[in-house]
Amino acid sequence: MTAPPPAGVPIIRLGDILLTGLLDDLDDKTALRFTEELTERIADEGARGVVIDISRLEIIDSFVARVLTESAAAGRLLGARMIVAGMRPAVAITLCGLGLALSGVETALTAERAVAALGWRRDPARVHGSRPHATR
Amino acid sequence: MRPGEASAVDAPVSPVGFTESTHPVRDEPDLLATRHAVRSAAVAAGFDLVGQTMIVTAASELVRNAYIHGGGGTLTISAIGAAHGRRGLRLTVADSGPGIQDVEAALTDGFSTGAGLGHGLGGTRRLVDEFAIDTEAGRGTTVTVVRWVT
Amino acid sequence: MATEDDLKVRDLLVRVLREHDAEILDLWVRAQSERAAVTALGERELRSEAAGVIAALREGLETGLPVGDVVERHAPAREAVVRLSVRRARAGVDPTATALATLALKDTLLDVLREHTDEPGALFSAAITVNRLLDAAGALTFASYVEGREEIIRTQHRQMLELSTPVVRLWRGVLAVPLIGTLDSARTQLVMNGLLEAIQADEAPVAIIDITGVPTVDTVVAHHLLQTVTAVRLMGAECFISGIRPAIAQTITQLGIDLSTITTRATLADALAEAVRLLDADFPDMASERVRSAL
C-alpha cells in the first residue's frame, strides 16, 4: 500500500446540512476515513445537521454501528444534529439481536424525512420533526 | 443453544447439495469476501432475508475478531442438514492468535461493547441458534456457530 | 474390497436393470398401484418417478460404490429415493405404504432376475446384493418420509403464525398490530418483520402494538415488546403499546419491568389519538394531505 486513496464516500452540502450515504461494501478503512472527513466537514462548514442515508446497507455489524454512534457523538460536540435514515427492516431486527440500539443516534424513515426534520424544506413556513429513539 | 436440544455443532455436513468451503481471513478485503461467501451460502440454504442478515452479521463479527484479535485465520462455511429435514449453515472461524483469557467475560456484554474484551461475542451468540467456543491462551480461538432455516 | 464374484453379480444386476428396465418398470408400478393408498399420485407420475429411481440405481451400481452405499452416496439415487418418499408424505400416503413402495421394488427385481438367470448360485448372490441395495433405500425412504411430514408441520406452523399477526393500517401514517396469544421469540421475529416491512412500504411514522389479546406479560414477553419497539425506532418510526389492562399493569410493576421508555396507553383508541397528535406536530405534511383527502 502506498498513499491512501481518497475516501470513497461523497458528502454533499445542502445549505447548512451535510447529506451523505453509505454503501454496502464499506470496508473498515473507508469507514474510519469517512468519520474523520465528516467530522472535519462539519467543523469547516459549520454544518447544523447531518443526514446519513443507510438504505443501501445490507448489514450493520458492531463496527459500522460504532462508526455511526461515534460520528453522531462527534457531530453533536460540534453542534450538528445527525440523523441516520432508511435502515432496512432486516438490519434493524439484526441490530436488536446484537444488542446495539444505536443510542444517541436519531433515526428517520427516509433521507427526505430526515432532511425535513432538520428544517430544510421547500416551504420554510412549516417545521418538521423526527423521532429521536431509544434515548427517550 | 436452546435447552434440551442436541448440539448440531458437530452435525454431519448435509449429503444433499453438499457444500463446504474454507476462506482465508488475512486482510481487510477478506472481511468483505467472507461476508459475500456467507451471504451466497445463506441464500442457497434457503434463509429468508432476516435469517441471511443475521448469519452474515454474525460472520462479520467473528471474522473481524479473528482478524483483529487473532491475527487472521480461516472461515469454514458448511451447509448442514439434520433429522426432520432441517437445513442450516455452520460457520467455523479459527485463528491461532493469543486466545481469549476469560471466555465468560467475552460472552457477557454490556449492551454495547467498546474496544477490548467483550468483542461482541455475546451479541453474536444471540444471532445464531447454537454457539460453541474453543480457546486456550496462546493456542488460538475457534468459534463455531449454527443457524437453522426457520 | 470387491471380490470377482461381487463384480460378476453387480454386472448381472446392471445388465438386468438396463435390458429389462421396461419390464421392471411395469411390474413395479403395477405392484404399487395395487395398493389403494398410492392411487392419489396418479399412474403417469408414478411411472416417471419409478423410471427415475431405476435408472439412478443402475448408474449408482455402475460407479463401483459398495452396493450397500449406492443409495446413500450416489447423489442422483439418493435424491430419487428422497423425492419418492417426500412426494408420498405430501400426498398424505401413510408411512407403511411408502415403505412398501421400496419393498415392492425388491420383489420386482428378484422376480425379473429369476426369469433371466439360470444359474442358482448367481441368483442367490444376486438376491443378497438386491437386498443390500434396497434395504438402504428402505431406511432412507422412512427417514425422508418423516422429514417430509415435519416440513409440512413447520410450514403450517409458520402459516398459522403469519395468519395470527396481521398488520393493519389504522390511519394515514399509523399502523397497528393486534397481538393475540403469547409472544415467544419466533413469533416476535415474525411480528417485527411484518411490522417493519409495512412501516417501510407505507413510510408510516407511527406503529401501535395492541396487546389487549395477550393473556399475560411476563419478563420474556416484555423483553420481546421492548425489542420490537427498539427495532421500529431504529427504522426511524415511533412505536406505542396499547391495550394494557389494569391486571397487566400491576404485573408489570410487580415484576419490576421497566417500560418507561415506551409510550403506553390503556386502549387502542387512546394510542391512536396520541399517534394523530404526534403526526400533526411532527408531520404536518401528512396532516394536510389527510385533510385534503377528507375534503
Side-chain angles (χ1 to χ4, degrees), chain C residues 246-262:
Chain C
I248 283 191
Q250 270 174 358
T251 321
I252 289 175
T253 36
Q254 277 159 14
L255 288 173
I257 299 168
D258 181 14
L259 294 184
S260 63
T261 54
I262 305 178

Side-chain angles (χ1 to χ4, degrees), chain A:
Chain A
M1 275 262 184
T2 51
V9 186
I11 301 172
I12 297 154
R13 185 171 167 171
L14 211 64
D16 53 4
I17 292 172
L18 295 177
L19 180 60
T20 179
L22 296 178
L23 293 180
D24 196 47
D25 277 343
L26 185 72
D27 64 77
D28 293 13
K29 281 200 183 71
T30 312
L32 292 173
R33 247 192 335 266
F34 164 76
T35 316
E36 275 173 39
E37 195 188 331
L38 184 63
T39 313
E40 276 166 24
R41 291 273 302 265
I42 293 171
D44 291 351
E45 301 175 24
R48 209 173 39 76
V50 179
V51 174
I52 303 183
D53 181 275
I54 55 162
S55 60
R56 301 285 289 276
L57 287 187
E58 288 181 357
I59 75 158
I60 294 184
D61 58 12
S62 56
F63 178 78
V64 176
R66 195 149 65 218
V67 165
L68 291 175
T69 45
E70 285 177 4
S71 302
R76 204 163 34 241
L77 286 173
L78 296 167
R81 194 175 144 198
M82 193 183 99
I83 302 180
V84 167
M87 188 185 294
R88 297 183 180 197
V91 173
I93 294 172
T94 303
L95 265 186
C96 278
L98 263 182
L100 300 171
L102 296 191
S103 14
V105 180
E106 266 188 84
T107 53
L109 281 168
T110 61
E112 198 184 350
R113 289 267 175 86
V115 169
L118 290 170
W120 196 89
R121 306 190 21 78
R122 274 167 279 174
D123 171 8
R126 294 207 196 101
V127 183
H128 275 226
S130 78
R131 298 283 86 221
H133 82 277
T135 50
R136 291 160 35 113

Side-chain angles (χ1 to χ4, degrees), chain C residues 193-210:
Chain C
N193 199 22
L195 182 59
L196 265 50
E197 278 181 357
I199 287 173
Q200 189 184 43
D202 266 31
E203 287 190 22
V206 191
I208 301 169
I209 300 175
D210 185 78

Side-chain angles (χ1 to χ4, degrees), chain C residues 5-6 11 21 31 35 52 59 93 111 119 132 154 197:
Chain C
D5 270 1
D6 278 345
D11 282 347
D21 60 341
R35 302 185 182 281
E59 285 160 13
V93 176
D111 284 348
E119 203 189 318
R132 238 182 245 154
R154 273 200 308 278
E197 278 181 357

Side-chain angles (χ1 to χ4, degrees), chain C residues 214-225:
Chain C
V214 176
T216 52
V217 174
D218 54 15
T219 42
V220 176
V221 173
H223 171 76
H224 288 137
L225 286 173

